[in-house]
């Protein structure tokens, strides 16, 4: 379901993609548990799918919840200095930016940037995404 959801998202069929990601999440929570890294990936995919076409504050709230769950798992499993943890901080920042919570978004973007600079270097494309996001505020 996860791969189908990713392809559907890329094709612009977000509502169907979201359905696939939710099915995958149910299976992963049941079989792997709520603190497994693959479950975190499902939370992340749902959050990202919502953000593609989300326009309502309630949708952003759900996306934020999904990305926060993902962050908790990644932080516990991979640690604060892992690039995936940085991606979660960045994703939370994106949601907060859309919710017009700019100070909190900036705080999340900066946390992600610090991790990415240390783990990936200043010239990595993901580090550049962090720079870009900070410049938007």
């Amino acid at each position: 379901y996860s791969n189908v959801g990713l392809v559907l998202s890329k094709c612009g069929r977000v509502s169907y993609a979201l359905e696939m990601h939710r099915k995958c999440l149910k299976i992963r929570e049941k079989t792997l548990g709520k603190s497994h890294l693959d479950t975190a990936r499902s939370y992340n995919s749902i959050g990202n799918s919502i953000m593609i076409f989300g326009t309502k504050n309630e949708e952003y709230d759900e996306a934020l919840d999904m990305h926060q769950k993902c962050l908790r798992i990644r932080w516990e499993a991979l640690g604060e200095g892992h690039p995936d943890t940085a991606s979660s901080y960045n994703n939370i920042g994106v949601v907060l930016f859309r919710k017009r919570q700019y100070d909190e978004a900036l705080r999340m973007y900066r946390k992600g940037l610090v991790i990415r600079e240390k783990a990936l270097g200043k010239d990595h494309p993901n580090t550049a995404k962090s720079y870009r996001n900070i410049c938007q505020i």
Side-chain angles (χ1 to χ4, degrees):
Y1 291 113
S2 179
N3 289 337
V4 172
L6 292 172
V7 170
L8 289 167
S9 286
K10 298 256 185 225
C11 294
R13 298 185 62 196
V14 179
S15 62
Y16 192 51
L18 195 51
E19 182 183 331
M20 293 294 104
H21 289 308
R22 290 186 197 283
K23 284 183 181 183
C24 184
L25 175 62
K26 275 188 170 185
I27 293 168
R28 285 177 171 170
E29 284 181 335
K30 184 177 179 180
T31 59
L32 302 172
K34 292 187 177 187
S35 60
H36 194 277
L37 282 170
D38 286 341
T39 305
R41 199 165 352 136
S42 287
Y43 290 134
N44 187 64
S45 295
I46 291 169
N48 286 340
S49 291
I50 291 169
M51 290 306 297
I52 290 173
F53 287 109
T55 58
K56 299 177 186 162
N57 221 22
E58 308 85 54
E59 293 169 325
Y60 296 151
D61 289 342
E62 183 183 4
L64 182 60
D65 181 56
M66 292 293 117
H67 285 304
Q68 287 172 332
K69 286 179 180 180
C70 180
L71 172 62
R72 278 192 290 278
I73 295 167
R74 286 176 170 174
W75 194 87
E76 289 176 12
L78 303 172
E80 177 72 15
H82 195 278
D84 288 349
T85 305
S87 292
S88 287
Y89 283 123
N90 184 73
N91 291 341
I92 291 169
V94 170
V95 178
L96 292 169
F97 181 83
R98 294 236 184 124
K99 288 173 62 74
R100 299 176 192 258
Q101 296 177 13
Y102 301 121
D103 290 340
E104 282 300 302
L106 183 58
R107 192 171 70 80
M108 292 293 114
Y109 288 152
R110 284 182 174 155
K111 283 183 117 170
L113 174 62
V114 168
I115 296 166
R116 284 176 167 170
E117 284 181 336
K118 286 181 185 174
L120 304 172
K122 293 184 178 190
D123 295 328
H124 192 277
N126 287 345
T127 307
K129 288 178 187 178
S130 290
Y131 294 134
R132 181 197 67 215
N133 288 340
I134 289 170
C135 288
Q136 289 177 342
I137 292 186

